[in-house]
Amino acid sequence: MPEAAFADAAARLRPLDEGARAAARVRHDQLTKPPGSLGGLEELGAQLAAISGRCPPPVPQSPAVAVFAADHGVAVAGVTMWPQDITAQMVANFVAGGAAINVIARQVGAAVHVVDVGVAAELGDEPGVRDHKVRPGTASLADGPAMTETEAMTALDAGAEVAAQLAGEGHDLLVTGDMGIGNTTAAAALVSVYCDRPASDVTGPGAGSDADTVARKVAVVAAAADRARRQNEPVAVLAEVGGLEIAALAGFVVGAAAARVPVVVDGVITLAALAAADAIVPGVGAHCIAGHRSPEPGASAVLEDLGLEPILDMGLRLGEGTGGCLAVAIVQAAARVLGEMATFDALGG
Amino acid sequence: MPEAAFADAAARLRPLDEGARAAARVRHDQLTKPPGSLGGLEELGAQLAAISGRCPPPVPQSPAVAVFAADHGVAVAGVTMWPQDITAQMVANFVAGGAAINVIARQVGAAVHVVDVGVAAELGDEPGVRDHKVRPGTASLADGPAMTETEAMTALDAGAEVAAQLAGEGHDLLVTGDMGIGNTTAAAALVSVYCDRPASDVTGPGAGSDADTVARKVAVVAAAADRARRQNEPVAVLAEVGGLEIAALAGFVVGAAAARVPVVVDGVITLAALAAADAIVPGVGAHCIAGHRSPEPGASAVLEDLGLEPILDMGLRLGEGTGGCLAVAIVQAAARVLGEMATFDALGG
């Protein structure tokens, strides 16, 4: 891999193939069903055609979810109900196959790849974890910059590199996943800045905070976002209030888009990463597929700003890639419908 | 099979196992995730526990979709843009494997079973079609009763019998499907009566009718529903304004519930059937899983009245079981999460 995987991916990104999208829509109107009657599944198929540049698009056969894990210094600022060492425990759980993402991935036939970009614990040679640790957790964004711009760039590169590797290994559908106690605070701050929303509009309870915790979280997010707004460059915003796994996820979606592999984004953490990615590489958001609508308010802000219509809306707020992974069979079906359905002409109708 | 498969199934129906549902909720709070963070997937798992009487519930391994096909005399009354012979053509398409339901079923590993309960064409010995033809299409519900009560009962029996057969063949997850040009008119009339809603609130464009056609459809539905409201028995309502495939679907869901096999209901046609089933066998609606929310207004009326929360909301309005079938992997994942996820105790957390 080149040193600067992210810059390389950004340079290789090509526009979506709108001709293939239009061809998919024409084909949908020839299939044995009333035009438009498959609703969102038709638009999803057209998006897959635009991503792949082919109509019908290839049916993804080998999905993979990449779970980026990192810790957040802000976790000790009273913004979460969970102790920070849960991050490392959950990484061990991912490796052992006992987490929700493992179970859902098994159901849809997806491989799970765990990437350490900044867990605040020595994972040693934990088998099954890709080591891209940039630093052992960010500094607290409540007190100052979460990381340096160089560290943010290193995490962006790690994400882009993992996407290129997974695509190179034959994975033809990628799903984004995250683990990091405290990361909904960083995500809310990023969304507040990139989507220009007040902190109170984009900060939620995350993985189940009580009202006092949410109130502290809003104050932390508001102060951090105010600070980040003074930065002129989107990477500087990411460094100021982001997270290592969030930066890596931003790199991952750009890497996937550059490789023309469809990427299903999960909940509010990836959506914050996607807002960052789209600020750094304008237009990359349109290359993605939104797996679900998280109830976290920041998720809807990004979906709205990027014009993405999520596949599922089941109130999932776990992260790990669970919402994205649950949508995999629907993405596969959307491609398959375009390739395998009969036309009225063929039916003699 | 006994002669009266429907009455037999209704007699065998047992209450949902609320103890197993409660056990599933307790177990969900022990799993390695914040309590409630899997949202609707947790409730779906609890419903599978209540249906099966086991926690964790068995993971469905052999799904099947039953597509009930029949014609509607009302199709010639200007309520649809499609010629009636599309019904028979689509049955041939189902058998050939080229319809949307075939493609989606292949994606999720579901078998497709086609049942003729009243197609207005001689299908002969079309291989792959179960012959339960009650009559070659209903009479027009615009002019009088669509069928006799005896015919409605025969169709209810056919549906219950097919459910028992599929369960007996080892299918452990059933999906409802329908085909019948004109059937959204019958469905709207049934929903108007069973859910006590004005015709204009529950009548939509179906598979793509224009405004003039919808206006004619509302008038036909209103007049038919007024007539049906004078009937005292729910089976008489079904005979007056229903359809043969709708009656069979009502029988099918009761048969599935009696066999304690989870049944995923599709769009407005099955939901109208479910409203009928719930009127005939009070409480059976709560045994079902709603696969998706059809944009047809009648669908939401039934979902609301029966307290069902659909899994998907993708604007599908094709029928055939497509929306139910698309949700299959999610239903399987809901069961699997309860059975396979680690607990925090086991994690040592």
Side-chain angles (χ1 to χ4, degrees):
Chain A
M1 295 297 301
E3 280 286 304
F6 181 79
D8 180 62
R12 281 186 295 112
L13 187 67
R14 293 287 167 270
L16 289 163
D17 188 333
E18 296 303 331
R21 190 195 304 276
R25 288 178 175 150
V26 168
R27 183 164 178 83
H28 254 301
D29 287 351
Q30 297 165 339
L31 300 176
T32 49
K33 59 176 180 56
S37 60
L38 283 175
L41 201 68
E42 298 193 13
E43 281 307 299
L44 189 51
Q47 171 76 349
L48 291 167
I51 291 168
S52 66
R54 287 164 57 188
C55 176
V59 180
Q61 302 291 341
S62 179
V65 54
V67 185
F68 292 89
D71 274 302
H72 294 258
V74 76
V76 299
V79 294
T80 173
M81 316 282 284
W82 296 83
Q84 187 172 270
D85 60 3
I86 290 284
T87 303
Q89 284 185 36
M90 286 303 297
V91 167
N93 198 15
F94 298 145
V95 170
I101 188 59
N102 301 104
V103 177
I104 295 170
R106 279 197 289 276
Q107 181 59 49
V108 301
V112 177
H113 293 273
V114 186
V115 187
D116 172 15
V117 276
V119 178
E122 186 51 65
L123 298 179
D125 289 327
E126 179 83 74
V129 178
R130 292 180 192 228
D131 179 9
H132 285 271
K133 200 188 301 265
V134 178
R135 55 181 275 181
T138 51
S140 175
L141 62 85
D143 303 327
M147 63 186 114
T148 67
E149 286 186 52
T150 302
E151 288 163 344
M153 274 308 309
T154 304
L156 284 162
D157 283 337
E161 188 176 330
V162 170
Q165 283 171 350
L166 293 178
E169 290 164 14
H171 291 299
D172 50 7
L173 179 63
L174 299 177
V175 180
T176 65
D178 71 281
M179 181 67 221
I181 297 300
N183 65 8
T184 59
T185 300
L190 292 170
V191 173
S192 177
V193 179
Y194 291 125
C195 297
D196 198 19
R197 304 282 212 286
S200 55
D201 283 8
V202 294
T203 307
S209 294
D210 59 24
D212 284 354
T213 305
V214 174
R216 272 195 301 274
K217 191 170 164 181
V218 170
V220 166
V221 168
D226 281 348
R227 223 171 57 230
R229 270 185 244 281
R230 287 180 224 131
Q231 301 290 347
N232 291 317
E233 295 298 324
V235 174
V237 172
L238 185 58
E240 186 72 34
V241 298
L244 292 154
E245 84 283 40
I246 299 177
L249 283 161
F252 185 76
V253 295
V254 173
R260 307 197 81 134
V261 173
V263 56
V264 182
V265 297
D266 188 43
V268 70
I269 305 302
T270 313
L271 287 168
L274 191 57
D278 199 75
I280 302 168
V281 184
V284 75
H287 289 251
C288 298
I289 293 164
H292 80 122
R293 184 184 298 277
S294 156
E296 279 287 291
S300 287
V302 179
L303 290 169
E304 183 185 320
D305 279 22
L306 295 181
L308 296 173
E309 189 62 45
I311 298 173
L312 301 175
D313 185 1
M314 295 185 70
L316 303 181
R317 52 186 176 80
L318 174 56
E320 301 180 2
T322 48
C325 216
L326 261 190
V328 161
I330 296 172
V331 175
Q332 291 169 312
R336 199 157 179 159
V337 157
L338 276 165
E340 295 183 14
M341 264 186 78
T343 61
F344 274 114
D345 274 355
L347 201 64
Chain B
M1 295 296 301
E3 279 288 303
F6 181 78
D8 180 61
R12 282 186 296 112
L13 187 67
R14 293 289 167 270
L16 288 163
D17 188 332
E18 296 303 332
R21 189 194 305 275
R25 287 178 175 151
V26 168
R27 182 163 179 83
H28 254 301
D29 287 351
Q30 297 165 339
L31 301 176
T32 49
K33 60 176 179 55
S37 60
L38 283 175
L41 201 67
E42 298 192 13
E43 281 307 298
L44 189 50
Q47 171 75 349
L48 290 167
I51 291 168
S52 66
R54 288 165 56 189
C55 177
V59 180
Q61 302 291 340
S62 180
V65 53
V67 185
F68 291 89
D71 275 302
H72 294 259
V74 75
V76 298
V79 295
T80 173
M81 317 283 283
W82 296 83
Q84 187 173 271
D85 60 2
I86 291 283
T87 303
Q89 284 186 35
M90 287 302 297
V91 168
N93 198 14
F94 297 145
V95 171
I101 187 58
N102 301 102
V103 178
I104 295 170
R106 280 197 289 277
Q107 181 59 49
V108 302
V112 177
H113 293 273
V114 186
V115 188
D116 172 15
V117 277
V119 178
E122 187 51 67
L123 299 179
D125 289 328
E126 179 83 76
V129 178
R130 291 179 193 231
D131 180 10
H132 285 272
K133 200 188 302 263
V134 178
R135 55 181 276 182
T138 52
S140 176
L141 62 85
D143 303 328
M147 63 188 116
T148 67
E149 286 186 51
T150 302
E151 288 164 343
M153 274 309 307
T154 305
L156 284 162
D157 283 337
E161 187 176 331
V162 170
Q165 284 171 348
L166 293 179
E169 291 165 14
H171 291 298
D172 50 7
L173 179 64
L174 299 178
V175 180
T176 65
D178 71 282
M179 180 68 222
I181 297 300
N183 65 6
T184 59
T185 299
L190 291 170
V191 173
S192 177
V193 179
Y194 292 125
C195 297
D196 197 19
R197 304 282 211 287
S200 55
D201 283 9
V202 294
T203 307
S209 294
D210 59 24
D212 283 355
T213 307
V214 174
R216 272 194 301 274
K217 192 169 164 180
V218 170
V220 166
V221 168
D226 281 350
R227 222 171 58 229
R229 270 185 244 281
R230 287 178 225 132
Q231 301 290 347
N232 291 318
E233 294 298 325
V235 174
V237 171
L238 185 59
E240 185 72 34
V241 297
L244 292 153
E245 84 283 40
I246 299 177
L249 282 161
F252 184 76
V253 295
V254 173
R260 306 197 81 134
V261 173
V263 56
V264 181
V265 298
D266 188 42
V268 70
I269 305 302
T270 313
L271 287 168
L274 191 57
D278 199 77
I280 302 167
V281 184
V284 75
H287 288 251
C288 298
I289 293 163
H292 79 121
R293 182 183 299 278
S294 157
E296 280 286 293
S300 288
V302 179
L303 291 168
E304 184 185 319
D305 279 22
L306 295 181
L308 296 174
E309 188 62 44
I311 298 173
L312 300 175
D313 185 1
M314 294 184 71
L316 304 181
R317 51 184 176 79
L318 175 56
E320 301 179 2
T322 49
C325 216
L326 261 189
V328 161
I330 296 172
V331 175
Q332 291 170 311
R336 200 157 179 160
V337 157
L338 277 165
E340 296 183 14
M341 264 186 79
T343 60
F344 274 115
D345 274 356
L347 200 65

